[in-house]
Amino acid sequence: GHDRRAPALHRGGPIMTIASDSSSPEPAAPRRRCLLVDDNPGIRGAVRRMLRHFGLDVLEAADGHEAMAHLMVGARVDVVLLDLHMPGASGFTVLEAIRRDPRLAALKVIVMTVDPRHATMADAAHHGDRYLLKPVDAPDLRAHLEAVLGRNGRHYAAQLLLASILVDSKEYPRALTLLALFALTGMLL
């Protein structure tokens, strides 16, 4: 049969494509994995449930030392969801270590904290890819994950940027062709 792929980001759907026909000859893409780092087990539990609902695998760490241990042994991670204020190694310490390590420097990091102070936000924005205030709610978390992982794990923002550049440069036929191609392949749904 045909490999039918569910539209990736319809409201409430997973942030990955799920193969709906197991007889497909091509293997399903590996699930995206998030390293969730927070010292509060209640927050980890709530966020873990959201992440799993969005179709991500979750690896957890209760502090910065544990997070770095996972990363140093080569755990496959697509995004880190990182609390900034933890005892021991803080989220800022983990961020600095990630950005200094050439193997990890490109890793997507969403920092989260209850502290809305401007200095904290500026520092987090400088090192992290996104900034999320706690308590974390599902729509905000989903929006941040989509921003760093891209729609369907593809370069959605780059595709839309390319199409908009073509529109701005008056190359409407090429822009329409690209948008149609993206839509037909499920990259824009």
Side-chain angles (χ1 to χ4, degrees), residues 6-184:
L9 291 179
H10 55 83
R11 182 167 244 102
I15 297 180
M16 54 171 272
T17 301
I18 300 172
S20 60
D21 181 352
S22 60
S23 65
S24 172
E26 59 182 83
R31 289 171 54 109
R32 296 290 188 126
R33 179 182 267 182
C34 177
L35 174 57
L36 171 59
V37 187
D38 198 301
D39 59 316
N40 184 316
I43 292 174
R44 275 198 324 273
V47 174
R48 175 189 336 106
R49 285 186 294 278
M50 285 184 242
L51 292 168
R52 287 184 177 158
H53 176 75
F54 297 152
L56 283 94
D57 286 335
V58 181
L59 179 62
E60 295 182 39
D63 60 41
H65 295 296
E66 189 178 351
M68 288 310 298
H70 284 304
L71 294 171
M72 291 292 110
V73 297
R76 185 188 58 78
V77 173
D78 298 295
V79 62
V80 177
L81 193 55
L82 178 65
D83 181 23
L84 288 180
H85 300 289
M86 296 180 291
S90 73
F92 290 110
T93 303
V94 174
L95 269 170
E96 289 173 11
I98 288 172
R99 295 305 181 227
R100 274 195 319 259
D101 189 321
R103 298 168 298 161
L104 303 174
L107 185 60
K108 301 297 183 189
V109 179
I110 301 171
V111 295
M112 56 182 183
T113 188
V114 295
D115 185 359
R117 291 180 299 180
H118 183 265
T120 300
M121 291 179 3
D123 205 23
H126 175 71
H127 294 289
D129 294 293
R130 303 290 285 197
Y131 182 87
L132 185 61
L133 279 175
K134 292 190 218 176
V136 175
D137 68 17
D140 283 347
L141 178 57
R142 182 181 191 82
H144 287 290
L145 289 167
E146 289 173 358
V148 298
L149 293 176
R151 270 183 89 115
N152 208 11
R154 297 183 175 117
H155 302 286
Y156 177 67
Q159 295 163 354
L160 289 181
L161 178 62
L162 176 60
S164 68
I165 289 169
L166 291 173
V167 168
D168 289 343
S169 68
K170 308 283 189 263
E171 296 208 28
Y172 299 111
R174 287 181 64 193
L176 291 175
T177 301
L178 277 175
L179 288 171
L181 176 64
F182 297 155
L184 286 172

